[in-house]
Amino acid sequence: VAVAVAVFGVVDSDAHIVTFNNNADHFDDKGQIMDAHDGNIAQWEPNGPYYFYGMSYGNCIEPIGGGCSHQGGDPNCGFRTDHNVSVWTSMDMSNGSWHYVGNALPPSSRPSAIYYRPKVVFNPNTNLYVLWLNGVPAGDFSHSFYLAATSSTPAGPFAVKAVNISTHNSAGGDFDIFVDDDGTGYFIYTSITLGHAMSIDVLAPDYLSSTLNNSGVFGQTFVEAPAMFKRSNIYYALFGQCCCFCATGSDIGVYRSSSPMGPYKFVSDIGCKRWTPLLQLPFADNGDGKASCQSLTKAQQNAVFPVKANGTTVFLWTGDQWQSAPDRVKAHDFQYWTPLSFDASGNINSLQYIDSFVLDMN
């Protein structure tokens, strides 16, 4: 189960209906805006609390325009070494119910670097919770690396166990971790040295290293922000064009396979308003004005996670709407959530922008 959230939920106590709003911030149980981005949400036990793991970027003012332009505002906003790995818990994900637990891996407990996209999974082989981060030393993305830490409890604190983890393809960037029913861990990631190309490694049994067994590159290059999950024995890999803190959002290319290591087949783009005429493949606006696709969600993907709701399993898609905060404070950027729907063949239906939706959390 995984992923990051940023819409907030309002609960109807009579039926336990929770309304999720995509046009506002989310708040904790003390009324504070939750600075939670590009992480994941997990419910580790049936009927237990949801754990929200998010990167906290702080109250800096974002650069204007392209998210990596470093123009206007604080040029280091989103590129600092003091980003927190924050943890909240909630029984139903409703607005105002999230309780702040703490910082899972403070800067003093990890090597100095800029960190992004925290992902936490449970390892049934070791009975430990495993946190991975993508690190960038001194802003040099060509030397980006992965860090893994463990904890005996889901809230942490986590202790670093491995740094500069080797993967089959070097200079890894955005990633996600998927744990299959047999306890095997899979690591989907983009390789900067291969032009931001996507592939999957099989993790070692302790989830602290890669076996270097790789799926091979699939899909378009210049992609990032992947999510991997399984539904009805179909494995899905979702990712979009590079979108460095961009205000426009990215597309959502969908790939599916009958095996976690592929081969993966491109099915559709569920987050793009129009297509690239020449290649018939999606390219989203990355802030340079040369885009050929408009993002339906105006968000960049965080992850997809399952929720027991409406009497079934609902898969929620979540993404960050970078530069959406009215006050331009990065900590206040909105997120976009939406339930995924599937056709009879297991293909994901195209998204439509929705202001809000409801779930029965009973």
Side-chain angles (χ1 to χ4, degrees):
V1 280
V3 113
V5 175
V7 295
F8 68 74
V10 178
V11 64
D12 176 343
S13 58
D14 292 336
H16 210 75
I17 300 297
V18 177
T19 300
F20 296 89
N21 183 353
N22 283 317
N23 298 319
D25 279 308
H26 49 298
F27 294 83
D28 65 17
D29 57 1
K30 292 184 171 27
Q32 299 298 310
I33 294 176
M34 294 171 63
D35 182 4
H37 307 280
D38 51 75
N40 73 295
I41 289 180
Q43 186 183 38
W44 302 117
E45 299 176 352
N47 302 315
Y50 292 90
Y51 284 80
F52 191 163
Y53 305 92
M55 190 60 70
S56 295
Y57 289 109
N59 292 324
C60 55
I61 301 298
E62 296 184 278
I64 302 171
C68 290
S69 68
H70 301 272
Q71 296 177 2
D74 178 353
N76 294 315
C77 190
F79 304 93
R80 305 188 321 198
T81 59
D82 62 350
H83 301 162
N84 288 336
V85 183
S86 299
V87 185
W88 292 263
T89 62
S90 169
M91 291 304 297
D92 61 8
M93 300 188 293
S94 61
N95 181 41
S97 70
W98 290 102
H99 178 71
Y100 179 70
V101 177
N103 189 349
L105 191 65
S108 61
S109 300
R110 67 197 192 210
S112 179
I114 306 167
Y115 287 97
Y116 301 102
R117 302 193 74 82
K119 305 293 181 186
V120 176
V121 294
F122 177 71
N123 188 331
N125 306 308
T126 61
N127 288 318
L128 293 174
Y129 297 88
V130 182
L131 163 70
W132 278 60
L133 294 169
N134 178 211
V136 180
D140 183 358
F141 282 84
S142 66
H143 290 88
S144 64
F145 64 92
Y146 296 116
L147 173 154
T150 64
S151 173
S152 60
T153 63
F158 287 78
V160 174
K161 298 298 180 182
V163 182
N164 292 318
I165 300 170
S166 296
T167 49
H168 183 274
N169 297 318
S170 61
D174 288 357
F175 70 95
D176 192 18
I177 301 175
F178 166 72
V179 177
D180 210 347
D181 298 334
D182 64 359
T184 303
Y186 296 91
F187 188 77
I188 182 170
Y189 64 106
T190 184
S191 168
I192 296 172
T193 55
L194 295 181
H196 285 270
M198 196 67 63
S199 67
I200 301 170
D201 279 12
V202 179
L203 293 178
D206 61 6
Y207 301 175
L208 299 180
S209 64
S210 167
T211 64
L212 306 184
N213 179 12
N214 183 261
S215 65
V217 168
F218 62 94
Q220 289 291 295
T221 56
F222 197 59
V223 291
E224 62 182 5
M228 183 177 176
F229 66 98
K230 182 171 76 170
R231 175 185 179 272
S232 300
N233 295 318
I234 299 174
Y235 296 86
Y236 298 86
L238 279 58
F239 47 86
Q241 291 292 291
C242 290
C243 175
C244 183
F245 292 143
C246 67
T248 54
S250 184
D251 61 315
I252 311 167
V254 178
Y255 301 77
R256 57 179 282 180
S257 173
S258 59
S259 168
M261 292 295 281
Y264 280 86
K265 178 183 178 181
F266 174 75
V267 180
S268 65
D269 190 292
I270 62 171
C272 185
K273 287 184 178 179
R274 61 180 186 269
W275 297 80
T276 301
L278 178 62
L279 298 179
Q280 293 298 303
L281 286 174
F283 288 84
D285 191 336
N286 61 7
D288 63 3
K290 300 177 181 179
S292 54
C293 172
Q294 290 180 316
S295 171
L296 287 166
T297 64
K298 299 180 181 179
Q300 182 180 35
Q301 178 172 262
N302 288 325
V304 176
F305 69 101
V307 173
K308 295 297 183 182
N310 300 343
T312 185
T313 299
V314 176
F315 287 85
L316 289 183
W317 185 94
T318 68
D320 280 297
Q321 293 186 322
W322 302 119
Q323 303 185 54
S324 60
D327 59 6
R328 291 182 52 212
V329 174
K330 196 170 194 66
H332 299 169
D333 277 348
F334 300 161
Q335 287 198 4
Y336 184 88
W337 285 28
T338 187
L340 297 179
S341 64
F342 301 79
D343 67 18
S345 298
N347 293 321
I348 305 175
N349 296 317
S350 289
L351 300 182
Q352 299 295 325
Y353 192 92
I354 54 176
D355 292 322
S356 63
F357 64 94
V358 298
L359 293 178
D360 183 352
M361 301 299 291
N362 281 329

